[in-house]
Amino acid sequence: MSHFKQFTRLIEDYPQFFNGDRKAAEIESFSQSLLADDDGFIRRFGSAVAEMMKPDYGVNVNGVTSPLMPAAAIRRNIPDFAPITITCVNDTYHIPHLSTDQRVKCAVYDADNFPFPINAYHTPSHFNRIFANKILHISIDGGNNDETAIQINNILAAAVDLAAFRRVFVEIGGGANLELILNDSSDSTPHNYFASQFVEIFLNEGASLNLYDITDTSDTTSRLNEMKIKMKRNCRLNIFSLSASAGKSVNIYDIDFESDNSEATINGFVVGDGNQRIGNATFVNHLSRHGKSNQNFKYVLDDASHGTFYGEIFVWEVARFTEAYQSNRNILASPDARISTEPQLLIYNDDVKCSHGATTGQLDAAALFYMRQRGIPEAVARTMLTQAFVGDVIDAIPLLPLRDRMRMLVEKRLYKRSSRPCDNCRMACDTINRDSKE
Amino acid sequence: MDKEILLDVKGLRASVAGKEILKGIDLTIRKGEVHAIMGPNGSGKSTLSAVLTGNPAFTVDAGSATFNGKNLLEMAPENRAHEGLFLSFQYPVEIPGVSMTNFMRAALNEKRKYLGQEPISASDFLKLMRQKRAVVDLDNKLASRSVNEGFSGGEKKRNEIFQMAMLEPSLAILDETDSGLDIDALRIVAEGVNKLKTDDNATIVITHYQRLLDYIRPDYVHILYKGRIVETGGPQLALVLEEKGYDEIKRKYDNNAAE
Amino acid sequence: MSNPDNNIDANSKILDDVTAADYKYGFTTDIDTDVIPRGLNEDVVRLISAKKNEPEWLLDFRLKAYRHWLTLKQPKWAHINIPDIDFQAISYYAAPVKKDGPKSLDEVDPQILATFNRLGIPLEEQKVLSGMAVDAVMDSVSVKTTHRERLAELGVIFCSISEAVKDYPDLVRRYLGSVVSYRDNFYAALNSAVFSDGSFVYIPKGVRCPMELSTYFRINAQGTGQFERTLIVADDDSYVSYLEGCTAPMRDENQLHAAIVEIIVEDRAEVKYSTVQNWWAGDAEGNGGVYNLVTKRGLCRGESSKLSWTQVETGSAITWKYPSCILAGDNSVGEFYSVAVTRNYQQADTGTKMIHIGRNSRSTIVSKGISAGHSENSYRGLVKIAAKADNCRNHTQCDSLLLSSTCGAHTFPVMQIDNPSAVVEHEATTSKISEDQIFYCNQRGIPDEEAVGLIVNGYAKEVMNKLPMEFAVEAQRLLQITLEGSVG
């Protein structure tokens, strides 16, 4: 349990906050999952977790409410886009009044009164379950396919080093469509923040979900995030894992194809610099027939940043006619950057089409020379090519306002790094691109 | 012969991966001139264009190249471009994810910056794009796509000439621009080049065949063989070559080149 | 279009037929064997050493390894279901007894000669294979090494490791355990404690070994394990191609084979190591078969040195082996070409490690897995580029072909890249045999079984082509036989 020592010590030192049968069972299952490490989480991400755990975080065991900070919340909004906006300050969810739309229900429960089982899958969710005392419950009624958009702005703000525990439970009714944006941000701050998040999502028959998991936080912010998604028949799922600036963070995306004929994609990018430690793990479990999955992860690592990718495709005996693909491509941009990648295929029946590919290399030297021959300086050319490298992930974002915002976020970040001013960046060109399409 | 010298190459030797390709090239190009460089495969034609434009894969072993009175070989590839050197690539590179618009705008504005000019305004840029597209009849759709990605062979070559029109170089090197073109595309590309021709710029046409020279009339024809310019003459040299083939050249110079 | 389910049934039936082929090496040889009692303790280690008249330093090495082994547990990380092995139920030394005392050093028991003849490895001087020198190992000891004199003229040493310990103690002592330490892993520690025999090869500076060197391993005795140890040293600017073949009788019990191969490649030297592994795989119900738990590793120590592993793995109930290259020299090259076929209840977890330490080092990995029946077939690989290893290249191609709906095919690669100038590419595909291809063959009059044979051979060709001629033909035939009755 050494990786989570400061939290296990907390349990020992303050037993009054962790009493009762439920807590006892949760603590027990957490220590079991750490010990067994069946999914290799500690083996692969243990060192990243150890880094996260260096500061001594305060924990809100008393359930003190963090007030809504309207100004900060508004800044997180995306232009030309008006979703239902939920703001979470540290571990307090502030939900808007939703009387006008009966199809969408949002409520915050005490974990003790939650009417559904409180599941856990991998080590981070086991860990989250012990400390998360509130659960945000979102449900979308089925029966009509109007599109619903919900944005959850997660803001970390405190005057001390703080650990926050967030838990989200989402049910999407049959045939319903949901755009769900989780936007993690923290302003640059001298304080260290740690966020533990577990999101569990159920898609009923024919439901579809576009899930955007955006991290744009400071270097002093750590995040241990697990998302478990279960799909019934004929579902469509697109996950976008967008780590524009993610301090130290590990994300787990675990998808179950419970019934036939569903499709899922996971598109992700990581832009890392400084001493960032960024890990992504995917578990795509094909448990039924005619499932299709496609994963595409891109990492650009600069300075002394370290990246880890673990991607598992599991095709069970029953999951005939499965198509499962995975690609992980990485660029190391500095001598001290590191990448470790493990694309894994476990196949238990023969009527499948599966492949994975992983490459690590440099920017295309021929393209670089071509650009320089046209007069574009090397540093700018590199930035443009890097931007293009992660561009296919951004271009796949179906929500236009968000696509523009992500593009800007990445551009801002990349141009900040090159010594040249950003007069070639697309922020200025947006109008041109639009005009030239006439 | 009294026109100003643009490019002056003397005793240029260059190698790639330790293998010497250029074994002493002398070449003088003045404003307003069109030079054709011909030669069999492997004679060093593409190496010459790569070395002049500063491709880092090639090493210059000896000799000099002066462009606009400046030492070309010391300059970074982008600065050679800013000085007015343009290469139409034999194999234009596909750059997925970088749109033609962004690419061209970056190239143009960097040149302007080098020359101490303000960046071009968005509307002027668009106007310029439209205007120059017409030179080679380039489809508007291609301009909004990624650089060369998914372009046919002919479209790629037209795109090269379009970029040349945008950047208005003082010396353009056309490296086998005719290869892979059908006769119609060849005419369009050649006409584009001719439209851009002025008394103040110059062109080097690298080609295998005489065919392109029917459209772009050279003032001088050089024959490059085994890393050396073995013969120089007027347009009629290309016709002689077309008639007799490279075997004649090989027979004539193989003994000399062997030492 | 016919009902796909019928197709599946028909296909699996053909597969079953094809995979149910006979194992023609399953006979036993009736010879007297000197077998020490089962069980393992320090006295057994001392006894083995004494039987072989070993010097003190080697006994020390064995004892250190044994004591270290006691501190280790049988590893469980591989994707194989390996029962706990009772290491006290195995005899650690078995040697064919020479009748009436040896008349000459070269004389070999006619029974043993007959055995190797039956395996296609003639040992009599007049019949020996001309292009190949063979070290024949039966159970724990080397019974005969051919062509020794001719090789000696060039300074090439090719003999059993026991003889090498006596005749070239300095060489053996310098290199033994230098690539695979006894601390390396559980089975390596066990082997270091009890290894019985194996081959020793030394190619002196500048010598291109004129013939293939080959060791043929045969387990014969019952209730024994085989723990051979191979040590190959290629000095500067030398070249050698080395082949390894293995078979065992059909027995209901599981036999343990825990070998170590160590290779040292010096400046500009090249070693090509080829294996055709055909240990008894157990019967169709998964009874018996050899547990093949092997540590093979080469150190490309010299600049521009090259080590190439080629393996065709068709036998063994369980295969656990990762022939690896430590590319320490600048410009060194590592290669791994593998075909692994599993059927019935066979389990294979095999692959390689390419550790890039030298600058400009390059490696290529081509792995072709073919699984049938209820078997499990995994590729496991590590490509590591050290921080100071500039301009390294790796390309990995890893394909799995599935011939039944009840088998498993898995890919577990790990890439750790600590240098930004590296180019590392990994590609893997998993698919079943193409029905279009089979139909195309059918339409040209080729029945399913032959069609599958053809397609599989084509699929494995890239690897088979890397084998030396003599071996390639044998390996191709073996692949065909192994797959007979496995088509679906």
Side-chain angles (χ1 to χ4, degrees), chain A residues 307 309 328 330 339-343 356-360, chain C residues 381-385 394 396 412-417 424-427:
Chain A
F309 175 75
N328 168 227
N330 312 301
I339 180 79
S340 167
T341 172
E342 295 182 53
H356 66 207
T359 61
T360 298
Chain C
L382 170 69
V383 174
K384 182 167 174 67
I385 313 286
N394 163 266
T396 302
F412 304 109
V414 177
M415 285 148 272
Q416 290 173 354
I417 296 130
V424 175
E425 295 165 326
H426 173 96
E427 287 174 66

PDB file of all heavy atoms in Angstrom, chain A residues 307 309 328 330 339-343 356-360, chain C residues 381-385 394 396 412-417 424-427:
ATOM      1  N   GLY A 307       5.893   9.797 -20.730  1.00  0.00           N
ATOM      2  CA  GLY A 307       4.571   9.313 -21.109  1.00  0.00           C
ATOM      3  C   GLY A 307       4.503   7.803 -21.010  1.00  0.00           C
ATOM      4  O   GLY A 307       5.496   7.114 -21.200  1.00  0.00           O
ATOM      5  N   PHE A 309       1.800   4.585 -22.225  1.00  0.00           N
ATOM      6  CA  PHE A 309       0.540   4.156 -22.827  1.00  0.00           C
ATOM      7  C   PHE A 309       0.414   2.656 -22.654  1.00  0.00           C
ATOM      8  O   PHE A 309       1.346   1.897 -22.936  1.00  0.00           O
ATOM      9  CB  PHE A 309       0.492   4.505 -24.321  1.00  0.00           C
ATOM     10  CG  PHE A 309      -0.738   3.978 -25.005  1.00  0.00           C
ATOM     11  CD1 PHE A 309      -1.962   4.602 -24.805  1.00  0.00           C
ATOM     12  CD2 PHE A 309      -0.681   2.850 -25.809  1.00  0.00           C
ATOM     13  CE1 PHE A 309      -3.112   4.102 -25.406  1.00  0.00           C
ATOM     14  CE2 PHE A 309      -1.836   2.353 -26.414  1.00  0.00           C
ATOM     15  CZ  PHE A 309      -3.043   2.983 -26.208  1.00  0.00           C
ATOM     16  N   ASN A 328      -0.864   3.752 -31.606  1.00  0.00           N
ATOM     17  CA  ASN A 328      -0.232   4.671 -30.662  1.00  0.00           C
ATOM     18  C   ASN A 328       1.022   5.202 -31.327  1.00  0.00           C
ATOM     19  O   ASN A 328       1.909   4.444 -31.693  1.00  0.00           O
ATOM     20  CB  ASN A 328       0.115   3.933 -29.354  1.00  0.00           C
ATOM     21  CG  ASN A 328       1.025   4.755 -28.452  1.00  0.00           C
ATOM     22  OD1 ASN A 328       2.018   4.254 -27.934  1.00  0.00           O
ATOM     23  ND2 ASN A 328       0.717   6.035 -28.269  1.00  0.00           N
ATOM     24  N   ASN A 330       4.101   8.237 -31.210  1.00  0.00           N
ATOM     25  CA  ASN A 330       4.736   9.145 -30.261  1.00  0.00           C
ATOM     26  C   ASN A 330       5.906   9.872 -30.879  1.00  0.00           C
ATOM     27  O   ASN A 330       6.620   9.330 -31.713  1.00  0.00           O
ATOM     28  CB  ASN A 330       5.264   8.346 -29.060  1.00  0.00           C
ATOM     29  CG  ASN A 330       4.222   7.392 -28.516  1.00  0.00           C
ATOM     30  OD1 ASN A 330       3.147   7.814 -28.112  1.00  0.00           O
ATOM     31  ND2 ASN A 330       4.505   6.109 -28.567  1.00  0.00           N
ATOM     32  N   ILE A 339       9.239   7.605 -23.258  1.00  0.00           N
ATOM     33  CA  ILE A 339       7.927   7.016 -23.524  1.00  0.00           C
ATOM     34  C   ILE A 339       8.014   5.512 -23.310  1.00  0.00           C
ATOM     35  O   ILE A 339       8.999   4.882 -23.658  1.00  0.00           O
ATOM     36  CB  ILE A 339       7.432   7.329 -24.955  1.00  0.00           C
ATOM     37  CG1 ILE A 339       6.065   6.708 -25.247  1.00  0.00           C
ATOM     38  CG2 ILE A 339       8.427   6.858 -26.015  1.00  0.00           C
ATOM     39  CD1 ILE A 339       4.907   7.434 -24.700  1.00  0.00           C
ATOM     40  N   SER A 340       6.998   4.972 -22.717  1.00  0.00           N
ATOM     41  CA  SER A 340       6.904   3.526 -22.576  1.00  0.00           C
ATOM     42  C   SER A 340       5.532   3.137 -23.104  1.00  0.00           C
ATOM     43  O   SER A 340       4.525   3.700 -22.690  1.00  0.00           O
ATOM     44  CB  SER A 340       7.064   3.161 -21.111  1.00  0.00           C
ATOM     45  OG  SER A 340       6.683   1.832 -20.917  1.00  0.00           O
ATOM     46  N   THR A 341       5.502   2.209 -24.045  1.00  0.00           N
ATOM     47  CA  THR A 341       4.216   1.869 -24.634  1.00  0.00           C
ATOM     48  C   THR A 341       4.014   0.359 -24.694  1.00  0.00           C
ATOM     49  O   THR A 341       4.934  -0.380 -25.007  1.00  0.00           O
ATOM     50  CB  THR A 341       4.030   2.537 -26.013  1.00  0.00           C
ATOM     51  OG1 THR A 341       2.855   2.031 -26.624  1.00  0.00           O
ATOM     52  CG2 THR A 341       5.201   2.291 -26.932  1.00  0.00           C
ATOM     53  N   GLU A 342       2.824  -0.057 -24.351  1.00  0.00           N
ATOM     54  CA  GLU A 342       2.492  -1.481 -24.344  1.00  0.00           C
ATOM     55  C   GLU A 342       1.141  -1.705 -25.003  1.00  0.00           C
ATOM     56  O   GLU A 342       0.110  -1.627 -24.358  1.00  0.00           O
ATOM     57  CB  GLU A 342       2.409  -2.009 -22.901  1.00  0.00           C
ATOM     58  CG  GLU A 342       3.709  -1.985 -22.150  1.00  0.00           C
ATOM     59  CD  GLU A 342       3.540  -2.583 -20.751  1.00  0.00           C
ATOM     60  OE1 GLU A 342       3.046  -3.705 -20.632  1.00  0.00           O
ATOM     61  OE2 GLU A 342       3.886  -1.886 -19.790  1.00  0.00           O
ATOM     62  N   PRO A 343       1.131  -1.946 -26.292  1.00  0.00           N
ATOM     63  CA  PRO A 343      -0.135  -2.261 -26.940  1.00  0.00           C
ATOM     64  C   PRO A 343      -0.388  -3.769 -26.834  1.00  0.00           C
ATOM     65  O   PRO A 343       0.425  -4.550 -27.301  1.00  0.00           O
ATOM     66  CB  PRO A 343       0.108  -1.843 -28.393  1.00  0.00           C
ATOM     67  CG  PRO A 343       1.592  -1.866 -28.563  1.00  0.00           C
ATOM     68  CD  PRO A 343       2.249  -1.905 -27.214  1.00  0.00           C
ATOM     69  N   HIS A 356      -2.778  -3.874 -33.975  1.00  0.00           N
ATOM     70  CA  HIS A 356      -2.320  -2.689 -33.284  1.00  0.00           C
ATOM     71  C   HIS A 356      -0.976  -2.274 -33.855  1.00  0.00           C
ATOM     72  O   HIS A 356      -0.254  -3.071 -34.444  1.00  0.00           O
ATOM     73  CB  HIS A 356      -2.269  -2.867 -31.765  1.00  0.00           C
ATOM     74  CG  HIS A 356      -1.262  -3.849 -31.276  1.00  0.00           C
ATOM     75  ND1 HIS A 356      -1.400  -4.522 -30.105  1.00  0.00           N
ATOM     76  CD2 HIS A 356      -0.105  -4.277 -31.798  1.00  0.00           C
ATOM     77  CE1 HIS A 356      -0.367  -5.308 -29.929  1.00  0.00           C
ATOM     78  NE2 HIS A 356       0.435  -5.181 -30.938  1.00  0.00           N
ATOM     79  N   GLY A 357      -0.687  -1.018 -33.708  1.00  0.00           N
ATOM     80  CA  GLY A 357       0.595  -0.526 -34.172  1.00  0.00           C
ATOM     81  C   GLY A 357       1.060   0.525 -33.191  1.00  0.00           C
ATOM     82  O   GLY A 357       0.260   1.270 -32.638  1.00  0.00           O
ATOM     83  N   ALA A 358       2.352   0.558 -32.960  1.00  0.00           N
ATOM     84  CA  ALA A 358       2.911   1.593 -32.100  1.00  0.00           C
ATOM     85  C   ALA A 358       4.205   2.059 -32.729  1.00  0.00           C
ATOM     86  O   ALA A 358       5.018   1.245 -33.154  1.00  0.00           O
ATOM     87  CB  ALA A 358       3.172   1.050 -30.698  1.00  0.00           C
ATOM     88  N   THR A 359       4.374   3.345 -32.863  1.00  0.00           N
ATOM     89  CA  THR A 359       5.625   3.852 -33.396  1.00  0.00           C
ATOM     90  C   THR A 359       6.128   4.981 -32.517  1.00  0.00           C
ATOM     91  O   THR A 359       5.341   5.716 -31.921  1.00  0.00           O
ATOM     92  CB  THR A 359       5.471   4.421 -34.816  1.00  0.00           C
ATOM     93  OG1 THR A 359       4.553   5.510 -34.778  1.00  0.00           O
ATOM     94  CG2 THR A 359       4.974   3.387 -35.792  1.00  0.00           C
ATOM     95  N   THR A 360       7.428   5.091 -32.420  1.00  0.00           N
ATOM     96  CA  THR A 360       8.025   6.235 -31.763  1.00  0.00           C
ATOM     97  C   THR A 360       9.117   6.736 -32.696  1.00  0.00           C
ATOM     98  O   THR A 360       9.899   5.948 -33.201  1.00  0.00           O
ATOM     99  CB  THR A 360       8.637   5.833 -30.412  1.00  0.00           C
ATOM    100  OG1 THR A 360       7.584   5.340 -29.582  1.00  0.00           O
ATOM    101  CG2 THR A 360       9.289   7.028 -29.740  1.00  0.00           C
TER     102      THR A 360
ATOM    103  N   GLY C 381       7.405  -9.291 -25.930  1.00  0.00           N
ATOM    104  CA  GLY C 381       8.661  -8.698 -26.375  1.00  0.00           C
ATOM    105  C   GLY C 381       8.965  -7.401 -25.662  1.00  0.00           C
ATOM    106  O   GLY C 381       8.068  -6.710 -25.187  1.00  0.00           O
ATOM    107  N   LEU C 382      10.242  -7.118 -25.578  1.00  0.00           N
ATOM    108  CA  LEU C 382      10.667  -5.834 -25.017  1.00  0.00           C
ATOM    109  C   LEU C 382      11.651  -5.194 -25.988  1.00  0.00           C
ATOM    110  O   LEU C 382      12.595  -5.838 -26.440  1.00  0.00           O
ATOM    111  CB  LEU C 382      11.350  -6.039 -23.659  1.00  0.00           C
ATOM    112  CG  LEU C 382      12.057  -4.802 -23.077  1.00  0.00           C
ATOM    113  CD1 LEU C 382      11.058  -3.733 -22.669  1.00  0.00           C
ATOM    114  CD2 LEU C 382      12.925  -5.176 -21.877  1.00  0.00           C
ATOM    115  N   VAL C 383      11.385  -3.946 -26.320  1.00  0.00           N
ATOM    116  CA  VAL C 383      12.382  -3.164 -27.051  1.00  0.00           C
ATOM    117  C   VAL C 383      12.738  -2.001 -26.150  1.00  0.00           C
ATOM    118  O   VAL C 383      11.874  -1.213 -25.765  1.00  0.00           O
ATOM    119  CB  VAL C 383      11.834  -2.650 -28.394  1.00  0.00           C
ATOM    120  CG1 VAL C 383      12.846  -1.726 -29.064  1.00  0.00           C
ATOM    121  CG2 VAL C 383      11.491  -3.819 -29.301  1.00  0.00           C
ATOM    122  N   LYS C 384      13.991  -1.932 -25.770  1.00  0.00           N
ATOM    123  CA  LYS C 384      14.405  -0.847 -24.896  1.00  0.00           C
ATOM    124  C   LYS C 384      15.522  -0.056 -25.562  1.00  0.00           C
ATOM    125  O   LYS C 384      16.487  -0.624 -26.051  1.00  0.00           O
ATOM    126  CB  LYS C 384      14.888  -1.397 -23.552  1.00  0.00           C
ATOM    127  CG  LYS C 384      15.274  -0.273 -22.606  1.00  0.00           C
ATOM    128  CD  LYS C 384      15.464  -0.747 -21.180  1.00  0.00           C
ATOM    129  CE  LYS C 384      15.995   0.379 -20.318  1.00  0.00           C
ATOM    130  NZ  LYS C 384      15.039   1.484 -20.129  1.00  0.00           N
ATOM    131  N   ILE C 385      15.348   1.264 -25.600  1.00  0.00           N
ATOM    132  CA  ILE C 385      16.390   2.124 -26.146  1.00  0.00           C
ATOM    133  C   ILE C 385      16.944   2.933 -24.977  1.00  0.00           C
ATOM    134  O   ILE C 385      16.235   3.735 -24.376  1.00  0.00           O
ATOM    135  CB  ILE C 385      15.832   3.099 -27.209  1.00  0.00           C
ATOM    136  CG1 ILE C 385      14.930   2.384 -28.226  1.00  0.00           C
ATOM    137  CG2 ILE C 385      16.982   3.859 -27.875  1.00  0.00           C
ATOM    138  CD1 ILE C 385      15.605   1.539 -29.237  1.00  0.00           C
ATOM    139  N   ASN C 394      14.338   0.112 -34.546  1.00  0.00           N
ATOM    140  CA  ASN C 394      13.729  -1.214 -34.361  1.00  0.00           C
ATOM    141  C   ASN C 394      12.490  -1.296 -35.225  1.00  0.00           C
ATOM    142  O   ASN C 394      11.717  -0.352 -35.321  1.00  0.00           O
ATOM    143  CB  ASN C 394      13.320  -1.451 -32.897  1.00  0.00           C
ATOM    144  CG  ASN C 394      12.335  -2.604 -32.768  1.00  0.00           C
ATOM    145  OD1 ASN C 394      11.129  -2.401 -32.765  1.00  0.00           O
ATOM    146  ND2 ASN C 394      12.830  -3.819 -32.732  1.00  0.00           N
ATOM    147  N   THR C 396       9.317  -4.087 -35.588  1.00  0.00           N
ATOM    148  CA  THR C 396       8.726  -5.328 -35.113  1.00  0.00           C
ATOM    149  C   THR C 396       7.465  -5.622 -35.906  1.00  0.00           C
ATOM    150  O   THR C 396       6.608  -4.752 -36.057  1.00  0.00           O
ATOM    151  CB  THR C 396       8.361  -5.220 -33.619  1.00  0.00           C
ATOM    152  OG1 THR C 396       9.532  -4.907 -32.884  1.00  0.00           O
ATOM    153  CG2 THR C 396       7.766  -6.522 -33.100  1.00  0.00           C
ATOM    154  N   PHE C 412       1.967  -9.215 -26.440  1.00  0.00           N
ATOM    155  CA  PHE C 412       2.318  -8.383 -25.284  1.00  0.00           C
ATOM    156  C   PHE C 412       3.653  -7.657 -25.495  1.00  0.00           C
ATOM    157  O   PHE C 412       4.654  -8.020 -24.879  1.00  0.00           O
ATOM    158  CB  PHE C 412       2.442  -9.236 -24.017  1.00  0.00           C
ATOM    159  CG  PHE C 412       1.227 -10.061 -23.682  1.00  0.00           C
ATOM    160  CD1 PHE C 412       1.252 -11.436 -23.825  1.00  0.00           C
ATOM    161  CD2 PHE C 412       0.065  -9.458 -23.226  1.00  0.00           C
ATOM    162  CE1 PHE C 412       0.144 -12.213 -23.511  1.00  0.00           C
ATOM    163  CE2 PHE C 412      -1.045 -10.225 -22.913  1.00  0.00           C
ATOM    164  CZ  PHE C 412      -1.013 -11.608 -23.059  1.00  0.00           C
ATOM    165  N   PRO C 413       3.681  -6.687 -26.346  1.00  0.00           N
ATOM    166  CA  PRO C 413       4.942  -5.984 -26.531  1.00  0.00           C
ATOM    167  C   PRO C 413       5.109  -4.829 -25.548  1.00  0.00           C
ATOM    168  O   PRO C 413       4.118  -4.222 -25.129  1.00  0.00           O
ATOM    169  CB  PRO C 413       4.836  -5.442 -27.951  1.00  0.00           C
ATOM    170  CG  PRO C 413       3.382  -5.239 -28.144  1.00  0.00           C
ATOM    171  CD  PRO C 413       2.654  -6.203 -27.249  1.00  0.00           C
ATOM    172  N   VAL C 414       6.327  -4.547 -25.192  1.00  0.00           N
ATOM    173  CA  VAL C 414       6.633  -3.381 -24.362  1.00  0.00           C
ATOM    174  C   VAL C 414       7.729  -2.603 -25.081  1.00  0.00           C
ATOM    175  O   VAL C 414       8.709  -3.190 -25.523  1.00  0.00           O
ATOM    176  CB  VAL C 414       7.141  -3.797 -22.967  1.00  0.00           C
ATOM    177  CG1 VAL C 414       7.520  -2.561 -22.149  1.00  0.00           C
ATOM    178  CG2 VAL C 414       6.097  -4.608 -22.228  1.00  0.00           C
ATOM    179  N   MET C 415       7.536  -1.291 -25.229  1.00  0.00           N
ATOM    180  CA  MET C 415       8.571  -0.464 -25.834  1.00  0.00           C
ATOM    181  C   MET C 415       8.934   0.644 -24.871  1.00  0.00           C
ATOM    182  O   MET C 415       8.083   1.441 -24.511  1.00  0.00           O
ATOM    183  CB  MET C 415       8.066   0.132 -27.142  1.00  0.00           C
ATOM    184  CG  MET C 415       8.015  -0.878 -28.273  1.00  0.00           C
ATOM    185  SD  MET C 415       6.686  -0.537 -29.434  1.00  0.00           S
ATOM    186  CE  MET C 415       5.342  -1.416 -28.669  1.00  0.00           C
ATOM    187  N   GLN C 416      10.172   0.667 -24.442  1.00  0.00           N
ATOM    188  CA  GLN C 416      10.633   1.720 -23.539  1.00  0.00           C
ATOM    189  C   GLN C 416      11.676   2.528 -24.264  1.00  0.00           C
ATOM    190  O   GLN C 416      12.751   2.024 -24.582  1.00  0.00           O
ATOM    191  CB  GLN C 416      11.237   1.114 -22.273  1.00  0.00           C
ATOM    192  CG  GLN C 416      10.185   0.474 -21.388  1.00  0.00           C
ATOM    193  CD  GLN C 416      10.786  -0.261 -20.218  1.00  0.00           C
ATOM    194  OE1 GLN C 416      12.006  -0.388 -20.107  1.00  0.00           O
ATOM    195  NE2 GLN C 416       9.940  -0.758 -19.344  1.00  0.00           N
ATOM    196  N   ILE C 417      11.355   3.775 -24.532  1.00  0.00           N
ATOM    197  CA  ILE C 417      12.244   4.571 -25.365  1.00  0.00           C
ATOM    198  C   ILE C 417      12.729   5.776 -24.584  1.00  0.00           C
ATOM    199  O   ILE C 417      11.958   6.645 -24.208  1.00  0.00           O
ATOM    200  CB  ILE C 417      11.537   4.968 -26.667  1.00  0.00           C
ATOM    201  CG1 ILE C 417      11.247   3.673 -27.455  1.00  0.00           C
ATOM    202  CG2 ILE C 417      12.398   5.887 -27.500  1.00  0.00           C
ATOM    203  CD1 ILE C 417       9.879   3.531 -27.913  1.00  0.00           C
ATOM    204  N   VAL C 424      11.217   3.531 -33.538  1.00  0.00           N
ATOM    205  CA  VAL C 424      10.749   2.223 -33.103  1.00  0.00           C
ATOM    206  C   VAL C 424       9.351   2.009 -33.663  1.00  0.00           C
ATOM    207  O   VAL C 424       8.475   2.846 -33.494  1.00  0.00           O
ATOM    208  CB  VAL C 424      10.722   2.139 -31.566  1.00  0.00           C
ATOM    209  CG1 VAL C 424      10.124   0.822 -31.105  1.00  0.00           C
ATOM    210  CG2 VAL C 424      12.126   2.308 -30.999  1.00  0.00           C
ATOM    211  N   GLU C 425       9.186   0.914 -34.363  1.00  0.00           N
ATOM    212  CA  GLU C 425       7.887   0.648 -34.982  1.00  0.00           C
ATOM    213  C   GLU C 425       7.423  -0.752 -34.611  1.00  0.00           C
ATOM    214  O   GLU C 425       8.179  -1.707 -34.738  1.00  0.00           O
ATOM    215  CB  GLU C 425       7.995   0.741 -36.503  1.00  0.00           C
ATOM    216  CG  GLU C 425       8.338   2.129 -36.979  1.00  0.00           C
ATOM    217  CD  GLU C 425       8.787   2.145 -38.429  1.00  0.00           C
ATOM    218  OE1 GLU C 425       9.439   1.166 -38.855  1.00  0.00           O
ATOM    219  OE2 GLU C 425       8.484   3.121 -39.099  1.00  0.00           O
ATOM    220  N   HIS C 426       6.206  -0.843 -34.194  1.00  0.00           N
ATOM    221  CA  HIS C 426       5.632  -2.141 -33.869  1.00  0.00           C
ATOM    222  C   HIS C 426       4.315  -2.284 -34.605  1.00  0.00           C
ATOM    223  O   HIS C 426       3.486  -1.396 -34.559  1.00  0.00           O
ATOM    224  CB  HIS C 426       5.393  -2.256 -32.359  1.00  0.00           C
ATOM    225  CG  HIS C 426       4.645  -3.491 -31.975  1.00  0.00           C
ATOM    226  ND1 HIS C 426       5.274  -4.627 -31.555  1.00  0.00           N
ATOM    227  CD2 HIS C 426       3.331  -3.772 -31.993  1.00  0.00           C
ATOM    228  CE1 HIS C 426       4.360  -5.557 -31.319  1.00  0.00           C
ATOM    229  NE2 HIS C 426       3.180  -5.063 -31.577  1.00  0.00           N
ATOM    230  N   GLU C 427       4.153  -3.401 -35.279  1.00  0.00           N
ATOM    231  CA  GLU C 427       2.871  -3.655 -35.930  1.00  0.00           C
ATOM    232  C   GLU C 427       2.453  -5.063 -35.565  1.00  0.00           C
ATOM    233  O   GLU C 427       3.275  -5.977 -35.560  1.00  0.00           O
ATOM    234  CB  GLU C 427       3.012  -3.640 -37.446  1.00  0.00           C
ATOM    235  CG  GLU C 427       3.213  -2.289 -38.068  1.00  0.00           C
ATOM    236  CD  GLU C 427       3.493  -2.463 -39.550  1.00  0.00           C
ATOM    237  OE1 GLU C 427       2.587  -2.908 -40.265  1.00  0.00           O
ATOM    238  OE2 GLU C 427       4.620  -2.192 -39.952  1.00  0.00           O
TER     239      GLU C 427
END
